[in-house]
């Protein structure tokens, strides 16, 4: 049996498959590019904040934290570029294999078509076709021969169309391959530049660290002041939240144990609580532009050895005078003034409370309903720059629990 029909079937099956693979590559490439764009945006924001600090000739802990964030983001960007380069290599290799397959099929199709044309040429005259038909031994045989002649003509047309289609597909694949090679070259060039910038960032980080280590006395004083402010803030938050709660009547302090809190919610509060939980990881940032420079939980001090920072929330370095906004709809339950540390606002979302502190000014009042992203106030600018402090608390029957706000905010 001739291999030509087999080649035709293979070519017909290969073309949709190539299209599906191309779509899959397109989606994967888009995801990688989206990740790179997000990191680019983060690096631009961090660079602008570092430049702002440099203009003011300040070397502070926040600047050091910004540089660390910058280094981490740039390292991620370089890894993302590595992934893109590997993906480009895979696409190029598979495109080369596809082109080789298409070329092989195209050659076979053309050879088969040439044989068909040669056979048709040999029997090109109407006399030959009529002789073939009239040589039939019966009417049925003449009918089958007539149908066979028509089928041969139809097959020649299909094969000619398939050759054209395969050639067009191969040309498109070759053009795509050329473009991928160009994109890979650009990507590699950008990656080299990012690695140089990463070296510069690391040198800047070391310089900042060296400068800060010369000011250990001032840093210890600042650290002590910040620790006191954190304690004052936590005490004020607990006092404000617990003042609005009441112990369960049936669970009074029996046996010397603390009374359970009544966490019964109204239907409206239950719905708000549920909506808030459903949006974990999707909440908008409390500032339009910013970088997390202080993470949740216990962590070593970036400069002072032996000092551990215990952060109940996250610190976001932002632009001077930046507006701070609610991360979700809710109701203002408290506005707190902290001696020497600005103001703080507590917003209720069912059993959850979000806290926005280190504010220079507040433009909301207790009992006010807020929408998502509604402005609450402006960030306070101190010696370490403009830093918004955000906390998330949950009210349980056993008391108040703070959780990591970074897990609730949207990440690109």
């Amino acid at each position: 049996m001739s291999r030509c029909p087999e080649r035709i079937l293979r070519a017909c099956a290969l073309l949709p498959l190539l299209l599906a693979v191309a779509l899959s590559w397109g989606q994967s490439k888009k995801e990688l590019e989206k990740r790179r764009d997000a990191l680019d945006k983060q690096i631009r924001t961090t660079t602008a904040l570092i430049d702002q600090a440099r203009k003011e000739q300040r070397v502070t802990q926040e600047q050091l934290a910004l540089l660390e964030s910058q280094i981490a983001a740039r390292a991620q960007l370089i890894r993302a570029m590595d992934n893109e380069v590997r993906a480009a290599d895979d696409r190029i290799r598979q495109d080369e294999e596809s082109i080789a397959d298409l070329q092989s099929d195209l050659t076979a199709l053309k050879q088969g078509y040439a044989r068909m044309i040669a056979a048709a040429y040999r029997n090109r005259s109407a006399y030959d076709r009529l002789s073939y038909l009239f040589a039939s031994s019966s009417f049925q045989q003449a009918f089958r021969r007539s149908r066979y002649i028509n089928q041969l003509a139809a097959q020649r047309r299909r094969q000619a169309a398939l050759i054209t289609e395969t050639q067009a597909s191969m040309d498109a694949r070759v053009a795509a391959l050329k473009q991928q090679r160009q994109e890979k070259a650009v990507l590699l060039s950008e990656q080299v530049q990012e690695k140089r910038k990463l070296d510069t960032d690391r040198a800047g980080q070391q310089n900042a660290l060296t400068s800060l280590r010369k000011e250990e006395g001032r840093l210890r004083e600042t650290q002590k002041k910040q620790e006191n402010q954190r304690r004052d803030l936590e005490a004020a938050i607990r006092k404000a939240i617990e003042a609005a709660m009441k112990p369960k009547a049936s669970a009074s302090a029996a046996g010397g144990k603390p009374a359970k809190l009544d966490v019964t919610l109204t239907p409206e509060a239950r719905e708000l609580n549920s909506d808030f939980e459903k949006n974990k990881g999707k909440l908008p940032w409390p500032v339009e532009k910013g970088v997390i420079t202080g993470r949740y939980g216990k962590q070593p001090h970036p400069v002072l050895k032996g000092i551990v920072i215990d952060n109940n929330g996250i610190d976001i370095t932002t632009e001077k005078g930046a507006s701070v906004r609610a991360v979700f709809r809710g109701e203002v339950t408290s506005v707190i003034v902290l001696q020497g540390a600005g103001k703080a606002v507590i917003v209720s979302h069912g059993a959850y409370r979000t806290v926005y502190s280190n504010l220079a000014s507040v433009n909301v009042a207790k009992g006010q309903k807020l929408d998502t992203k509604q402005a609450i106030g402006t960030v306070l600018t101190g010696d370490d720059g403009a830093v918004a402090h955000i906390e998330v608390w949950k009210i349980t029957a056993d008391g108040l629990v703070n959780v990591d706000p970074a897990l609730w905010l949207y990440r690109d």
Side-chain angles (χ1 to χ4, degrees):
M1 183 179 172
S2 169
R3 289 179 59 83
C4 196
E6 184 183 337
R7 290 280 186 184
I8 293 173
L9 290 173
R10 180 179 162 183
C12 288
L14 189 59
L15 291 176
L17 180 63
L18 289 174
L19 180 60
V21 170
L23 287 173
S24 169
W25 287 344
Q27 288 173 349
S28 175
K29 185 181 173 188
K30 200 171 178 180
E31 287 167 7
L32 289 170
E33 287 176 345
K34 185 181 174 186
R35 177 64 182 147
R36 183 153 59 97
D37 288 345
L39 287 166
D40 272 336
K41 184 181 173 186
Q42 185 182 340
I43 289 171
R44 283 197 300 275
T45 300
T46 313
T47 302
L49 293 171
I50 292 171
D51 288 345
Q52 178 180 288
R54 281 177 180 153
K55 281 178 187 172
E56 295 169 6
Q57 298 184 331
R58 288 188 284 114
V59 178
T60 64
Q61 275 180 242
E62 292 306 313
Q63 188 179 344
L64 182 62
L66 283 169
L67 282 164
E68 286 175 354
S69 176
Q70 180 91 312
I71 287 167
R74 212 180 287 284
Q76 285 182 47
L77 179 62
I78 290 169
R79 286 197 293 275
M81 286 176 159
D82 274 339
N83 291 335
E84 280 193 68
V85 169
R86 277 197 292 274
D89 283 339
D90 285 345
R91 287 195 298 271
I92 288 170
R93 178 180 53 75
Q94 292 184 41
D95 264 356
E96 287 172 342
E97 289 175 358
S98 298
I99 289 168
D101 286 345
L102 285 170
Q103 184 61 61
S104 172
D105 288 345
L106 189 62
T107 302
L109 287 168
K110 285 181 176 177
Q111 288 172 350
Y113 188 70
R115 285 194 294 272
M116 285 183 191
I117 295 297
Y121 180 79
R122 284 195 299 273
N123 303 291
R124 64 189 182 280
S125 71
Y127 176 77
D128 290 337
R129 287 195 293 275
L130 288 174
S131 297
Y132 180 61
L133 291 175
F134 287 134
S136 303
S137 58
S138 65
F139 174 77
Q140 287 79 6
Q141 188 181 41
F143 176 74
R144 286 197 298 272
R145 286 186 175 187
S146 173
R147 193 169 60 177
Y148 173 68
I149 290 170
N150 290 336
Q151 286 174 342
L152 282 178
Q155 187 175 352
R156 282 197 300 273
R157 288 194 294 274
R158 283 198 302 274
Q159 190 142 357
L162 191 56
I163 287 171
T164 303
E165 196 176 343
T166 305
Q167 182 68 57
S169 178
M170 195 172 71
D171 291 344
R173 187 64 66 186
V174 169
L177 182 61
K178 185 179 177 183
Q179 184 182 351
Q180 284 166 19
R181 283 175 173 155
Q182 289 171 345
E183 288 174 356
K184 180 187 169 184
V186 171
L187 192 58
L188 286 172
S189 172
E190 289 176 353
Q191 193 180 34
V192 169
Q193 291 177 32
E194 289 300 328
K195 285 179 178 174
R196 286 177 185 155
K197 289 178 184 174
L198 181 61
D199 290 340
T200 304
D201 289 343
R202 284 178 172 150
Q205 182 193 31
Q206 280 305 311
N207 290 338
L209 202 54
T210 303
S211 297
L212 287 170
R213 280 175 178 155
K214 292 176 183 172
E215 302 178 46
E216 187 172 334
R218 182 182 68 79
L219 287 179
R220 286 192 182 279
E221 192 177 323
T222 303
Q223 164 62 17
K224 192 174 176 182
K225 181 182 170 187
Q226 289 173 339
E227 196 59 44
N228 289 336
Q229 287 175 347
R230 270 194 285 271
R231 269 200 299 272
D232 290 347
L233 177 62
E234 180 176 347
I237 291 169
R238 287 184 178 278
K239 184 179 176 183
I241 297 174
E242 287 171 352
M245 306 298 297
K246 52 186 178 183
K248 269 189 174 179
S250 60
S252 55
K257 293 181 180 177
K260 298 277 185 182
L261 290 175
D262 185 357
V263 291
T264 307
L265 300 173
T266 63
E268 183 185 358
R270 272 203 305 276
E271 183 181 349
L272 183 60
N273 186 81
S274 174
D275 289 347
F276 186 76
E277 288 182 331
K278 285 176 188 170
N279 280 278
K280 185 177 181 181
K282 303 175 193 169
L283 299 178
W285 277 48
V287 290
E288 192 173 345
K289 292 180 182 176
V291 176
I292 294 177
T293 48
R295 299 203 169 271
Y296 172 83
K298 292 184 178 179
Q299 55 214 282
H301 192 282
V303 182
L304 300 174
K305 290 182 179 176
I307 299 291
V308 175
I309 298 170
D310 190 2
N311 195 345
N312 283 339
I314 56 171
D315 303 314
I316 302 178
T317 299
T318 184
E319 296 170 331
K320 275 184 175 180
S323 179
V324 177
R325 56 196 190 181
V327 297
F328 199 69
R329 71 180 192 274
E331 180 181 332
V332 177
T333 57
S334 301
V335 176
I336 305 168
V337 178
L338 297 160
Q339 188 66 34
K343 300 176 181 175
V345 173
I346 302 176
V347 180
S348 167
H349 316 279
Y352 290 90
R353 301 288 185 273
T354 50
V355 180
Y356 311 81
S357 67
N358 207 37
L359 303 178
S361 65
V362 168
N363 49 14
V364 295
K366 183 177 178 181
Q368 184 176 340
K369 302 277 188 185
L370 299 179
D371 287 328
T372 304
K373 288 188 177 182
Q374 184 170 339
I376 288 175
T378 56
V379 69
L380 180 68
T381 301
D383 295 339
D384 282 335
V387 183
H389 179 75
I390 311 300
E391 297 184 10
V392 177
W393 289 76
K394 184 176 183 182
I395 302 170
T396 70
D398 294 322
L400 303 179
V401 178
N402 64 62
V403 296
D404 185 358
L407 301 178
W408 289 77
L409 300 181
Y410 176 79
R411 302 290 291 178
D412 287 326

